[in-house]
């Protein structure tokens, strides 16, 4: 049974950056063994925010989403790994921190759905779209191997 490597987009949102949670959140993904192939801090522009949240345009909470994501810096990253889209979402927990499982990022660090510290793509199509909003292809560092890849590569040789 083969494994499928995927890429996903994750953003540490302004509330988490402001609270100094960047390193502990990054560590959760690294501890899982996901490879960070893109990483940067930025202020989300209104144009990027509109592209990111296009599916919510016209909804009552849309303006609030745009204001929030542009209110301070985010740390944007591209993760690569086996089943990384669902795996990252499991690490993050439910969108509403009150419903998130104990031990997940949102359960541990967030109280309100509107300020839930982290975003992650929900499917391959969203991941590709969101990565393209925040990263140029040449900004991704794909030519290195992390421990998960080295161990998997070794096992495949057997």
């Amino acid at each position: 049974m083969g494994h499928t490597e995927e890429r996903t987009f994750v953003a540490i949102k302004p509330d988490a950056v402001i609270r100094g949670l960047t390193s502990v959140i990054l560590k959760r993904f690294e501890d899982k063994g996901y490879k960070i192939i893109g990483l940067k801090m930025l202020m989300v522009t209104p144009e990027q925010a509109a592209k990111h949240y296009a599916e919510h345009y016209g909804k009552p909470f849309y303006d609030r989403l745009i204001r929030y994501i542009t209110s301070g810096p985010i740390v944007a990253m591209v993760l690569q790994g086996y089943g990384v889209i669902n795996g990252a979402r499991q690490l993050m927990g439910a969108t509403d921190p009150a419903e998130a499982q104990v031990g997940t990022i949102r359960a541990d660090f967030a109280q309100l759905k509107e300020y839930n510290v982290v975003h992650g793509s929900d499917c391959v199509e969203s991941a590709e779209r969101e990565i393209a909003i925040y990263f140029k292809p040449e900004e991704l560092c794909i030519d290195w191997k992390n421990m998960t890849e080295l161990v998997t590569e070794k096992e495949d040789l057997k």
Side-chain angles (χ1 to χ4, degrees), residues 54-150:
E55 68 201 54
H56 298 303
Y57 183 77
K59 294 180 182 169
F61 55 86
Y62 176 79
D63 289 338
R64 203 168 56 240
L65 270 179
I66 301 298
R67 276 196 311 275
Y68 165 55
I69 203 68
T70 59
S71 68
I74 69 164
V75 173
M77 68 184 103
V78 179
L79 301 177
Q80 183 171 301
Y82 299 106
V84 71
I85 295 170
N86 286 332
R89 291 179 66 78
Q90 285 178 340
L91 287 174
M92 289 185 277
T95 304
D96 185 343
E99 297 170 7
Q101 278 192 310
V102 172
T104 62
I105 294 167
R106 289 176 176 144
D108 289 353
F109 301 117
Q111 294 181 42
L112 301 170
K113 186 176 183 178
E114 292 81 7
Y115 301 99
N116 64 6
V117 304
V118 70
H119 164 82
S121 303
D122 62 359
C123 65
V124 172
E125 295 76 24
S126 292
E128 290 172 359
R129 185 179 63 77
E130 292 170 359
I131 289 168
I133 293 170
Y134 297 99
F135 289 90
K136 297 174 187 154
E138 64 269 20
E139 292 179 306
L140 301 180
C141 301
I142 56 176
D143 293 329
W144 67 282
K145 294 184 185 206
N146 69 358
M147 285 307 296
T148 303
E149 291 172 309
L150 291 171

Side-chain angles (χ1 to χ4, degrees), residues 43-54:
M43 293 294 293
V44 176
T45 66
E47 296 76 24
Q48 286 171 316
K51 283 181 187 173
H52 188 121
Y53 291 117

